[in-house]
Amino acid sequence: MSNTPPLFVPGHDSNLVEDLKARVRDVPDFPKPGILFKDVTPVLADPHLFGRVVNAMAAPFRGRHIHKVVGVEARGFLLGAPIALALHTGFAPARKPGKLPYKTVTERYSLEYGDDGLQLHEDAVGRGDRVLIVDDLLATGGTAAATARLVTKLGGEVVGFSFLVSLDFLPGRERLGAEKVCALLSY
């Protein structure tokens, strides 16, 4: 029998914020000069910390009757899939146009750096499905809002958003509805 703690244990993790702050890496001038990028890959590289993150990001949505977790390309896949497992529900990827093999619905949106789009398979979310949207970082909220519009187009209801990091000096929380946004770290 292994002494390795299980990944998905309900409950409060009092040291998680400090442990995350010690591991999230600042990368200056990425993807362009003047941007301070919050790199979460060191968190993903630590299996115990990664498991604690998954548990904490899922915790506010336990018992909320989530039918589907939608992870936003690309780091939202890495967090969303294990969160779906923790919530005992299905997972659907929201991808850039042209990346999904089946029939899709598309939503265009504006970014700080230009325009972009996201797609979901047309059968990814069913009418009346209660959906949690997951991504690594909330900034202006444009990507998450576009994902929410996709879910709504397919007849789903967005129950909430779960992020590892929220940049609270940007308008993302307000844009999405602050009461629906959960984030482990805020800057």
Side-chain angles (χ1 to χ4, degrees):
M1 184 122 178
S2 171
N3 288 333
T4 304
L7 289 180
F8 310 118
V9 180
H12 180 67
D13 188 341
S14 60
N15 297 322
L16 181 59
V17 170
E18 292 79 22
D19 293 346
L20 285 171
K21 284 182 179 179
R23 295 303 291 273
V24 172
R25 175 172 42 209
D26 288 343
V27 180
D29 299 321
F30 184 84
K32 68 179 196 174
I35 302 290
L36 181 63
F37 185 80
K38 297 293 184 184
D39 180 13
V40 301
T41 58
V43 173
L44 303 175
D46 178 332
H48 299 295
L49 184 56
F50 187 15
R52 291 166 59 204
V53 162
V54 167
N55 181 57
M57 289 179 72
F61 302 96
R62 291 186 196 284
R64 304 265 317 265
H65 308 289
I66 304 296
H67 298 114
K68 195 73 53 98
V69 171
V70 173
V72 182
E73 188 163 328
R75 288 175 300 274
F77 300 168
L78 302 172
L79 295 163
I83 288 170
L85 288 174
L87 294 174
H88 307 287
T89 190
F91 174 80
R95 302 223 47 198
K96 302 289 183 184
K99 300 290 184 181
L100 292 171
Y102 188 62
K103 298 173 193 165
T104 59
V105 292
T106 303
E107 185 66 34
R108 305 294 306 172
Y109 63 99
S110 296
L111 289 168
E112 304 88 312
Y113 323 117
D115 292 333
D116 211 339
L118 285 173
Q119 295 181 320
L120 280 171
H121 279 141
E122 67 179 15
D123 60 357
V125 173
R127 186 155 305 286
D129 279 355
R130 294 172 53 81
V131 176
L132 171 64
I133 296 173
V134 174
D135 206 353
D136 68 320
L137 185 128
L138 173 62
T140 64
T143 305
T147 306
R149 289 191 301 274
L150 279 172
V151 167
T152 301
K153 277 183 184 180
L154 293 172
E157 172 194 354
V158 177
V159 174
F161 300 87
S162 190
F163 299 96
L164 177 51
V165 176
S166 176
L167 302 179
D168 287 348
F169 56 89
L170 295 171
R173 279 186 191 266
E174 293 76 30
R175 185 175 194 175
L176 300 177
E179 71 285 352
K180 286 189 170 186
V181 174
C182 293
L184 300 185
L185 283 181
S186 296
Y187 292 97

